[in-house]
């Protein structure tokens, strides 16, 4: 009698997987780690795997996603908040098949929105098409990111670090900061970028994992490493052809790993729910900053 029930449960789980919106923030402790490059290449790899991907770009100015791809983005999420544009009119398509939502100015305004603006913004994401399988957030570096306040238990965080000691230290400090403010975040993924060898990347991750487990009580999972790519890193000692192949294969491996991450069945699925949680998190972050300021005064 237990077998039919098990089969029904498995069928329901597969249905939920098909409708599940994977939300992943890629962040780093500071600038220069190649976070935006990682977002773009991971989005392209996921698209090649048949996933519909939306990249939300939290950065403004030089080096953001649209600039990296040579795209003109004259509007962003703030124009949606002001009711000057719809989300559909702000989203930019790329030749790689994924979509981009420039959101830098809008993300900074989230914590200041009144009830009406919040309701409008949530509603704006309710019927966005096409439906997306994965949302990748290119977060502002360090503690400046507004996306790290997300309260979704299914929201995954990938911390990108390079082999430089300053980058590793900043990545660890960022994990400590997030864990201190959001104690439900007990799992993080680590992507080592610009590694010369696999041994180097594994050593860096092993050291970070041991320290995080011992001192922070959090779990780190190795998403992989990205080798020096000749075009992006002129000092790369590897032959160009080998480097380019390894670079693409590394992101393909990361994309396939991401697709098979476990998920929480009780979470809402859809951009409307995502924006609602983002707004709730922004309110909580504002309150935390106010409390900290009061304590210091």
């Amino acid at each position: 009698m237990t077998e039919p029930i098990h089969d029904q449960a498995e069928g329901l789980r597969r249905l939920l997987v098909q409708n599940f919106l994977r939300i992943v923030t890629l962040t780093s402790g500071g600038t220069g780690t190649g976070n935006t490059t990682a977002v773009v290449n991971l989005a392209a790899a996921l698209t090649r795997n048949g996933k519909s991907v939306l990249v939300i770009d939290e950065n403004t100015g030089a080096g953001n996603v649209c600039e990296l791809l040579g795209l003109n983005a004259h509007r962003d999420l703030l124009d949606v908040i002001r009711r000057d544009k719809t989300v559909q009119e702000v989203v930019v398509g790329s030749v790689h098949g994924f979509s981009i939502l420039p959101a830098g100015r809008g993300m900074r305004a989230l914590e200041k929105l009144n009830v009406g603006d919040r309701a409008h913004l949530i509603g704006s994401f309710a019927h966005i098409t096409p439906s997306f399988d994965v949302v990748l957030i290119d977060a502002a570096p360090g503690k400046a990111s507004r996306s790290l306040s997300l309260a979704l238990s299914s929201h995954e965080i990938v911390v990108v670090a390079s082999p430089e000691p300053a980058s590793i230290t900043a990545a660890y400090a960022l994990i400590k900061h997030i864990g201190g403010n959001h104690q439900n975040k007990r799992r993080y993924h680590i992507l080592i970028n610009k590694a010369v060898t696999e041994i180097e990347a594994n050593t860096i991750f092993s050291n970070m994992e041991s320290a995080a487990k011992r001192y922070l009580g959090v779990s780190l999972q190795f998403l992989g490493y990205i080798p020096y790519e000749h075009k992006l890193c002129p000092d790369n000692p590897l032959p160009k052809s080998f480097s380019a192949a390894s670079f693409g294969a590394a992101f393909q491996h990361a994309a396939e790993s991401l697709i098979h991450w476990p998920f929480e069945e009780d979470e809402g699925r859809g951009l409307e729910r995502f924006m609602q949680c983002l707004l709730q998190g922004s309110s909580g972050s504002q309150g935390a900053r106010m409390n900290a300021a009061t304590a210091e005064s």
Side-chain angles (χ1 to χ4, degrees):
M1 293 297 293
T2 58
E3 190 65 28
I5 296 177
H6 177 271
D7 292 343
Q8 291 175 9
E10 180 63 22
L12 178 59
R13 182 182 181 281
R14 291 175 180 173
L15 179 62
L16 288 169
V17 169
Q18 292 174 357
N19 296 325
F20 183 68
L21 177 65
R22 171 72 67 193
I23 302 168
V24 183
T25 289
L26 277 82
T27 186
S28 60
T31 59
T33 61
N35 197 73
T36 298
T37 300
V39 169
V40 168
N41 282 278
L42 185 58
L46 286 165
T47 302
R48 289 193 296 270
N49 275 272
K51 300 300 180 181
S52 179
V53 181
L54 174 66
V55 172
I56 298 181
D57 189 2
E58 194 180 359
N59 298 282
T60 58
N64 61 23
V65 172
C66 285
E67 182 176 274
L68 185 64
L69 295 174
L71 301 173
N72 294 319
H74 302 292
R75 300 287 186 175
D76 81 345
L77 185 63
L78 185 60
D79 295 287
V80 179
I81 294 172
R82 291 173 173 172
R83 297 168 172 77
D84 294 331
K85 295 290 181 180
T86 66
V87 177
Q88 294 285 154
E89 292 172 325
V90 171
V91 169
V92 179
S94 74
V95 296
H96 303 285
F98 59 85
S99 301
I100 305 151
L101 173 60
R105 295 185 305 156
M107 295 287 272
R108 290 176 174 84
L110 292 182
E111 62 190 30
K112 302 175 183 177
L113 300 185
N114 58 39
V115 175
D117 288 336
R118 287 169 175 265
H120 165 72
L121 190 56
I122 292 171
S124 296
F125 281 80
H127 305 293
I128 186 172
T129 56
S131 59
F132 293 101
D133 302 309
V134 182
V135 171
L136 297 181
I137 303 174
D138 184 12
K143 301 176 184 178
S145 173
R146 267 64 173 181
S147 67
L148 297 180
S149 63
L150 273 169
L152 292 167
S153 62
S154 60
H155 172 228
E156 302 283 358
I157 296 177
V158 175
V159 179
V160 181
S162 63
E164 287 76 16
S167 176
I168 298 169
T169 301
Y172 181 85
L174 180 60
I175 294 171
K176 181 178 180 180
H177 168 74
I178 298 170
N181 289 279
H182 308 283
Q183 295 184 3
N184 63 318
K185 299 296 182 187
R186 312 311 299 170
R187 180 181 66 196
Y188 302 83
H189 304 272
I190 304 298
L191 181 66
I192 305 299
N193 193 25
K194 304 179 183 179
V196 177
T197 65
E198 183 176 1
I199 294 175
E200 178 187 45
N202 285 328
T203 300
I204 293 170
F205 173 75
S206 179
N207 292 335
M208 290 182 67
E209 181 187 31
S210 297
K213 183 177 181 180
R214 180 176 180 180
Y215 298 109
L216 304 181
V218 300
S219 172
L220 303 187
Q221 299 181 359
F222 193 33
L223 182 57
Y225 83 101
I226 310 300
Y228 269 129
E229 205 281 326
H230 189 81
K231 294 179 181 179
L232 300 178
C233 306
D235 295 331
N236 177 21
L238 299 176
K240 181 177 179 180
S241 58
F242 176 77
S243 174
S246 299
F247 188 80
F251 281 108
Q252 180 64 27
H253 173 78
E256 292 173 355
S257 175
L258 184 154
I259 290 171
H260 292 96
W261 285 347
F263 69 98
E264 300 291 336
E265 296 183 8
D266 61 341
E267 285 297 336
R269 291 167 293 278
L271 284 169
E272 183 180 13
R273 167 65 173 161
F274 160 74
M275 182 51 63
Q276 182 180 15
C277 289
L278 185 58
L279 287 166
Q280 290 173 349
S282 296
S283 297
S285 296
Q286 183 184 32
R289 285 192 291 271
M290 292 177 64
N291 292 336
T294 302
E296 292 174 358
S297 62

